[in-house]
């Protein structure tokens, strides 16, 4: 079998999830892993029987088809430039970069090297989102009246995602970690949008990330948007992405559940049976010259602009 090869930079919590997903895909093969945390790197290597690279140079010399960058945002630009020099396709974690300027550098360098890029936006490949997108495009919701995103976290960082930077103002926070997933879906569904007003609140400790953010805006076609994020409140974590139509309202709850309601009727959970192509299938198809649905760095840069705006 002609497998698509991956080199992994960053073996943290999300990086380990990526490793698990790649190992479960017969079309993909991991040929090297690297992390500056040598203890963690060795643990992951032992756990999954994967080859370690002692340096980035050694990792790139394995000549992978794709390099996955799963490190904090401020390192994405540098690592992308190094991968581009080696002619590797680059798959980056979201957000694209630390800020728009770094993101532009990533876009320009990969364009000059003429290499394919992709963003790790797995939500787009989920059955719930694929079904929602199909329903919207087929006008089954009627006219779209409003789009809302509400994200509420009793703990930030989340209990499963404890690391030195995820709760920092410089690198972390839910605006960088969670909002990009939904902004990318909004962009795919409704095109460009802009905020007319926003407010982001921070704790007194200047080292810590935001505790709340609210914004209103509209798409270029005039659909109103409402964005809410809050952490530290006394309730369970819940994420709601809602598309209001004149015929139906569809809601993505907690990433993967799709709910639908009609006028004067109770909300019903949609049973999802389809298994769309995964990001890894798309990377494999792209490597083999087939049509593939990927989120390019250019699209990641569009999302980055909204992230930067809300962080100010």
């Amino acid at each position: 079998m002609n497998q698509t090869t991956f080199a992994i930079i960053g073996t943290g919590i999300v990086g380990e999830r990526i490793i698990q997903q790649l190992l479960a895909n017969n079309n993909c093969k991991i040929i090297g892993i690297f992390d500056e945390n040598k203890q963690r790197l060795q643990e992951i290597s032992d756990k999954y029987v994967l080859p370690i690279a002692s340096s980035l140079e050694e990792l790139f010399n394995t000549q992978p088809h794709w390099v996955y960058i799963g490190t904090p945002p401020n390192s994405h630009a540098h690592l992308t430039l190094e991968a581009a020099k080696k002619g590797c396709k680059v798959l980056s974690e979201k957000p694209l970069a630390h800020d728009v300027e770094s993101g532009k550098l990533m876009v320009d360098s990969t364009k000059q090297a003429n290499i394919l890029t992709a963003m790790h936006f797995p939500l787009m490949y989920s059955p719930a989102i694929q079904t929602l997108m199909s329903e919207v495009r087929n006008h089954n919701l009627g006219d779209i009246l409003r789009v809302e995103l509400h994200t509420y976290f009793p703990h930030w960082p989340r209990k499963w995602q404890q690391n030195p930077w995820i709760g920092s103002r410089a690198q972390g926070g839910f605006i960088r970690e969670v909002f990009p997933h939904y902004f990318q879906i909004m962009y795919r569904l409704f095109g460009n949008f802009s905020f007319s007003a926003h407010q982001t609140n921070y704790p007194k400790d200047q080292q810590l990330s935001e505790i709340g953010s609210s914004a209103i805006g509209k798409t270029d076609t005039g659909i109103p948007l409402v964005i809410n994020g809050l952490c530290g409140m006394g309730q369970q974590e819940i994420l709601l992405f809602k598309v209001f139509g004149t015929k139906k309202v569809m809601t993505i709850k907690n990433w993967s559940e799709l709910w639908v309601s009609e006028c004067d009727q109770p909300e019903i959970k949609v049973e999802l049976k389809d298994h769309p192509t995964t990001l890894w299938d798309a990377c494999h198809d792209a490597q083999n010259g087939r049509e593939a649905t990927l989120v390019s760095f250019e699209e990641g840069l569009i999302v980055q602009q909204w992230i930067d705006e809300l962080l100010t």
Side-chain angles (χ1 to χ4, degrees):
M1 180 184 296
N2 186 23
Q3 292 179 304
T4 296
T5 57
F6 290 79
I8 307 296
I9 304 176
T11 57
I13 297 169
V14 176
E16 183 174 4
R17 290 183 176 181
I18 298 301
I19 288 170
Q20 292 169 345
Q21 293 168 17
L22 285 169
L23 292 175
N25 192 311
N26 292 330
N27 291 322
C28 302
K29 182 179 181 181
I30 301 171
I31 59 174
I33 59 174
F34 174 78
D35 197 305
E36 291 182 347
N37 184 333
K38 301 306 179 184
Q39 180 178 348
R40 173 68 175 177
L41 181 63
Q42 190 63 57
E43 289 173 357
I44 293 296
S45 174
D46 293 342
K47 185 175 181 178
Y48 298 103
V49 193
L50 294 171
I52 284 176
S54 60
S55 66
L56 285 173
E57 185 70 20
E58 183 179 327
L59 187 75
F60 291 134
N61 285 341
T62 62
Q63 298 183 319
H65 295 133
W66 285 92
V67 171
Y68 164 74
I69 299 174
T71 53
N74 67 355
S75 62
H76 292 183
H78 166 69
L79 294 171
T80 293
L81 264 62
E82 293 302 311
K85 290 177 184 177
K86 298 295 183 179
C88 300
K89 300 175 181 65
V90 186
L91 169 64
S92 175
E93 264 305 329
K94 51 81 203 92
L96 176 65
H98 176 61
D99 53 30
V100 167
E101 291 306 313
S102 297
K104 288 179 179 178
L105 185 62
M106 294 171 69
V107 169
D108 291 343
S109 65
T110 51
K111 275 187 175 179
Q112 291 174 7
N114 195 30
I115 59 174
L116 197 62
T117 62
M119 296 289 301
H120 182 222
F121 281 126
L123 188 62
M124 188 178 70
Y125 303 88
S126 73
I129 288 294
Q130 288 293 311
T131 302
L132 170 63
M133 294 176 79
S134 176
E135 290 288 289
V136 171
R137 287 169 177 165
N138 291 330
H139 306 289
N140 292 334
L141 276 65
D143 296 331
I144 305 302
L145 301 175
R146 179 183 286 184
V147 178
E148 296 186 1
L149 172 64
H150 302 277
T151 64
Y152 301 112
F153 306 98
H155 308 281
W156 191 274
R158 292 162 287 186
K159 290 182 177 181
W160 61 268
Q161 198 179 20
Q162 299 292 318
N163 65 45
W165 60 271
I166 204 71
S168 73
R169 193 171 304 187
Q171 295 292 302
F174 59 80
I175 292 177
R176 286 190 178 98
E177 280 295 300
V178 177
F179 281 11
H181 291 283
Y182 293 95
F183 288 174
Q184 187 268 324
I185 296 300
M186 289 162 59
Y187 179 73
R188 282 288 174 111
L189 279 172
F190 306 111
N192 191 48
F193 59 87
S194 57
F195 299 121
S196 56
H198 77 275
Q199 179 175 317
T200 298
N201 303 108
Y202 293 92
K204 292 182 180 180
D205 187 338
Q206 296 188 6
Q207 301 302 311
L208 299 180
S209 60
E210 70 277 359
I211 55 176
S213 185
S214 300
I216 57 173
K218 63 180 180 179
T219 68
D220 284 358
T221 58
I223 300 171
L225 307 175
V226 175
I227 308 295
N228 278 317
L230 188 66
C231 64
M233 81 296 294
Q235 70 168 59
Q236 282 189 322
E237 178 177 312
I238 187 167
L239 288 80
L240 303 171
F241 177 63
K242 301 181 70 72
V243 180
F244 295 83
T246 53
K247 295 180 180 179
K248 297 180 182 179
V249 174
M250 300 196 89
T251 304
I252 304 291
K253 295 184 180 182
N254 296 332
W255 302 103
S256 61
E257 296 179 9
L258 178 62
W259 293 74
V260 62
S261 60
E262 299 183 48
C263 187
D264 299 324
Q265 299 298 314
E267 192 176 39
I268 298 172
K269 186 177 181 180
V270 178
E271 295 298 325
L272 301 167
K273 298 180 180 180
D274 293 333
H275 297 282
T277 298
T278 68
L279 170 60
W280 315 114
D281 295 325
C283 288
H284 178 66
D285 286 341
Q287 170 59 28
N288 288 279
R290 295 188 289 269
E291 184 177 351
T293 300
L294 295 171
V295 180
S296 68
F297 278 9
E298 287 85 351
E299 190 169 340
L301 182 58
I302 292 171
V303 173
Q304 185 74 49
Q305 293 170 339
W306 294 316
I307 298 305
D308 281 18
E309 184 175 354
L310 292 185
L311 286 170
T312 57

